[in-house]
Amino acid sequence: MSDARVLRETLEIVLANDDTFPRRFYEVLFERHPQAQALFHRSSHTAQNKMFAKKLTALVDHVEDPAWLERELTTLAANHVGYGVTPEMYPWVGEALLATLREACGAAWTADAERAWTDTYAAMTRAILSST
Amino acid sequence: MSPITSTNAELELPWNKVRSRVPRRYPHLVLAWSLDEPERIGEALPIERATSIGRGGPLDDDPAPRTSLHRIRPFSFVEGPPIGSARISRRQLIAEPVGEDEVRLRSVGRALMRIGGKPVTEASVRAGDVVEIHNAAVFLVASRPLELPASPPLEFPFGAPDPFGIVGESENAWSLRAQLAFAASTDRHVLIVGESGVGKELSARAIHGLSSRRASTFVARNAATMPESLIDAELFGNVKNYPNPGMPERPGLIGEADGSTLFLDEIGDLPEKCQVHLLRVLDDGGEYQRLGEAKTRRSSFRLVAATNRPLEMLKHDFLARFTHRIALPGLPDRRDDVPLVLAEILRRTARNNPTIAARFFERRSGQVAEPRLAPELVVRLLRHPFTHHVRELERIVWLALGTAEADYIGITPAVEAELRDSAESASESVELDRETLAQALAANGRSPTRAAKALGLKNRFVLLRLLKKHGLSVDAEHDG
């Protein structure tokens, strides 16, 4: 199965549980890295959850569209610099994202899923950091 | 000599072509609520042929070509970006038109589809029905042409109030804007007809704002508030000390509106003799006399009058002075605008009330963003048979805000008590036949208020609408 298909299938599973997934993601992130909480004061919790789910879904939907990804990740990188996000914070987010996905997928989480998400997140982080 | 033959197209006269040109209508899904994309409310998904609907762009194995939401305006039909809501599946619905106002829907996605509150996987829906995609989106089914009525070029963001405060992107909203613009361009007197709360003053201000008189001050007055003994003095003005000693000199509304627009609301409440007094000044010369003055004056004013009464209640020669009659659509006639009007009421409320903004609205990048609005409230409002239109919608919004127990705007017991289903009112109307209506009017001294009460209707406007439907009027004893 292609990485794109694995990413989409796992994301469909986690999004089926309404807004539990984005909420849980932030819980995990702030539990492991409480210092990240200070960066999320500009938007209300539900708005932040919605933005996160929408952005993640769009990135996965376009994972096979390099032109779209480059455009989107460049904008994302510029915005994140403005929010005060520093390079060492990207692994924190990746770690929380993988942990939440693992938890939400339960038995449906496979080694293929672990590898596809880890590789994709690493590639996207590289693209973001190289454009700042 | 060979005979000259003509094709049917050549024989058809241009005026006949215009008369026979009725634009084809198609069912549309109009976005009424969206959790993730509230900025797209009012956009419509035209169902011209079998269509795949879902998140993102086209997929290789789509069973039918994919369509997204469009921003449809006169001379403009712009497809927006693909649906981006995370809760909507990549392949969510397959829609197929069945005639002009019906569409067959098949739910093939992860999110549950509900119609009339019931979960379904396949259904036929008609204009006026509401389709819910669980906790993701609410669509109203509407029947519309692909091209909206030609209208003046007004520049304002999609879904926002136009420069005159009128909110709406529906066919009827744009048709109204076109009528107002045409009336404004002609400089003739205008009669605006519509129930309470449909925006009569807003429309009058739009006519003034679109006319060549816009640089002058708009003069507005409610005819029902003028004391009967002073109506003439109010309208035409008076010289000093006339009719009573000590009275100051007044130019009157007509003099005040010289070169501008005079808006008289509730003109139906003007006594007949006062209507007669206005006949001369409403003719082309605009001649009138101040009370107590022999001199004839002229005023180049345009009268925009409004009434919510049946036109038969106005004197026929007074009515004839109004070149244009514009009937304002009520909210039930432009249901697709209800979510936009609701959004504007909430936006205005949040702007003026920081406590409400902090409690009921999302915050994005430090700014007040969209309201936390329960989709079931939108669903019920789309089906509510409004009789006092925007004013009634405003009252329901305040009731929902005032009785909310959480941080979202939804259906509380107090709101529930106010909401009805348009299907209920339709069945109520079916029971009231022509004869019953005529008898109720006769038995109640032809008072629409008392007759409506006797028939158990919500108010006199419901009765007036039914009378119109059956070709009856309040005044005539023997209607044709």
Side-chain angles (χ1 to χ4, degrees), chain A residues 56-104:
Chain A
L56 184 66
T57 312
L59 289 170
V60 171
D61 283 349
H62 290 88
V63 77
E64 292 162 310
D65 181 351
W68 186 94
L69 276 181
E70 193 188 336
R71 221 172 33 242
E72 194 62 22
L73 293 175
T74 307
T75 313
L76 204 64
N79 291 344
H80 277 73
V81 169
Y83 302 149
V85 176
T86 50
E88 70 272 16
M89 291 175 182
Y90 285 92
W92 302 354
V93 172
E95 185 193 319
L97 176 64
L98 266 287
T100 318
L101 287 166
R102 239 179 260 126
E103 184 183 300

Side-chain angles (χ1 to χ4, degrees), chain A residues 8 11-13 15-19 22 41-48 50-51 53-54 57-58 61-62 64 83, chain B residues 35-39 55-57 84-90 110 134-135 361-367 370-372:
Chain A
R8 282 178 192 137
L11 192 62
E12 285 292 307
I13 295 169
L15 289 175
N17 296 324
D18 281 347
D19 53 19
H41 60 90
R42 295 160 59 87
S43 302
S44 50
H45 293 316
T46 38
Q48 188 67 46
K50 282 194 249 178
M51 285 188 282
K54 196 175 163 189
T57 312
D61 283 349
H62 290 88
E64 292 162 310
Y83 302 149
Chain B
L35 186 81
D36 290 328
E37 299 182 292
E39 71 284 358
R55 191 186 73 235
S85 174
R87 283 150 211 280
I88 292 181
S89 295
R90 298 257 285 167
R110 158 172 43 87
H134 177 68
N135 201 23
F361 284 68
E362 299 291 6
R363 195 167 37 86
R364 286 173 198 269
S365 303
Q367 303 291 313
E370 75 275 12
R372 278 188 284 275

Side-chain angles (χ1 to χ4, degrees), chain B residues 341-397:
Chain B
V341 178
L342 172 66
E344 175 55 20
I345 292 171
L346 287 168
R347 244 192 316 265
R348 222 169 35 218
T349 307
R351 237 184 348 250
N352 299 328
N353 194 323
T355 315
I356 287 179
R359 183 173 166 197
F360 295 106
F361 284 68
E362 299 291 6
R363 195 167 37 86
R364 286 173 198 269
S365 303
Q367 303 291 313
V368 175
E370 75 275 12
R372 278 188 284 275
L373 192 58
E376 57 266 34
L377 177 62
V378 177
V379 170
R380 293 291 301 278
L381 287 171
L382 286 170
R383 301 185 61 84
H384 181 68
F386 289 95
T387 50
H388 289 75
H389 312 286
V390 178
R391 223 166 269 145
E392 186 179 353
L393 179 57
E394 241 166 340
R395 200 171 59 77
I396 295 172
V397 167

Side-chain angles (χ1 to χ4, degrees), chain B residues 135-155:
Chain B
N135 201 23
V138 173
F139 292 100
L140 174 76
V141 184
S143 174
R144 290 175 167 193
L146 295 176
E147 280 176 40
L148 290 181
S151 170
L154 292 171
E155 280 187 23

